[in-house]
Amino acid sequence: YDRPHNLKLFVNWEMNRHWSLSSTFSYASGMNLTLPIGKYESEHVLVYIYSARNGYRAPAFHQLDFSATWRIRQDRSLSLSIINAYSRKNVFSIYAGRQGHFSVGNGRIYKLYLYGIVPSLTYSSIQQTEPLMHSVILRISGKEKNLHGAPALQQNLTVAQ
């Protein structure tokens, strides 16, 4: 697929040990489309005449998301997120169809949008458990390499060549 521009900017600010704010901005060029450029009626059937393959480009996609997280304790948090903060109508699909009774004049091009502003509230609780292994040693052709620095339970993995 041809999408010449794709940009994501992410900002995260740890205000203190309890609060953090984050924001993401996404931008992407529209995808190539083949759209109807004309239409005619033949034996009570609406027939579309299409442009050259990928002759048009859909509108660009962009949205701004915000999130605020309050860490209640080290293992619990509450987050408020707002997706698509400025309620941009980003086009998901463009298609040809007709409205109402049949006639050539009722054939139209439609844009399908998925969502506007989407708020969400999330509560997270993390159960802390003991890790299964603290260190992993890889043996590759007789040479050892320690992947994690913590000395503790060790397991040997053999990698076939």
Side-chain angles (χ1 to χ4, degrees):
Y1 75 104
D2 177 24
R3 188 169 281 203
H5 306 97
N6 196 354
L7 171 71
K8 280 202 181 220
L9 300 173
F10 178 77
V11 176
N12 189 27
W13 179 32
E14 298 283 337
M15 296 172 58
N16 56 43
R17 65 187 193 115
H18 291 287
W19 285 97
S20 67
L21 300 174
S22 64
S23 178
T24 303
F25 176 76
S26 303
Y27 174 87
S29 301
M31 302 271 295
N32 286 335
L33 299 170
T34 304
L35 292 177
I37 56 173
K39 59 192 171 195
Y40 64 93
E41 180 182 346
S42 175
E43 298 180 18
H44 300 291
V45 175
L46 184 61
V47 180
Y48 288 99
I49 302 166
Y50 287 90
S51 67
R53 185 169 185 221
N54 296 328
Y56 290 91
R57 188 169 295 277
F61 168 94
H62 55 89
Q63 83 179 31
L64 181 62
D65 306 332
F66 292 110
S67 177
T69 301
W70 174 41
R71 279 183 284 304
I72 302 165
R73 295 189 339 204
Q74 187 168 350
D75 62 342
R76 295 189 181 146
S77 66
L78 186 64
S79 296
L80 173 66
S81 299
I82 298 174
I83 297 173
N84 197 15
Y86 52 87
S87 195
R88 162 106 170 140
K89 288 185 175 181
N90 288 305
V91 175
F92 176 72
S93 176
I94 297 177
Y95 62 94
R98 60 185 172 95
Q99 182 180 22
H101 66 282
F102 177 80
S103 81
V104 174
N106 284 341
R108 294 202 170 105
I109 301 295
Y110 294 94
K111 295 178 185 178
L112 177 65
Y113 308 104
L114 288 184
Y115 55 87
I117 295 175
V118 181
S120 102
L121 185 62
T122 307
Y123 175 78
S124 299
S125 177
I126 302 169
Q127 297 291 327
Q128 299 210 350
T129 60
E130 287 294 318
L132 295 176
M133 71 180 106
H134 292 91
S135 180
V136 175
I137 296 178
L138 271 179
R139 281 187 205 274
I140 301 173
S141 67
K143 298 179 183 175
E144 292 184 1
K145 183 172 183 179
N146 192 349
L147 297 180
H148 302 285
L153 175 67
Q154 295 185 353
Q155 290 187 353
N156 293 330
L157 300 177
T158 303
V159 178
Q161 296 183 0

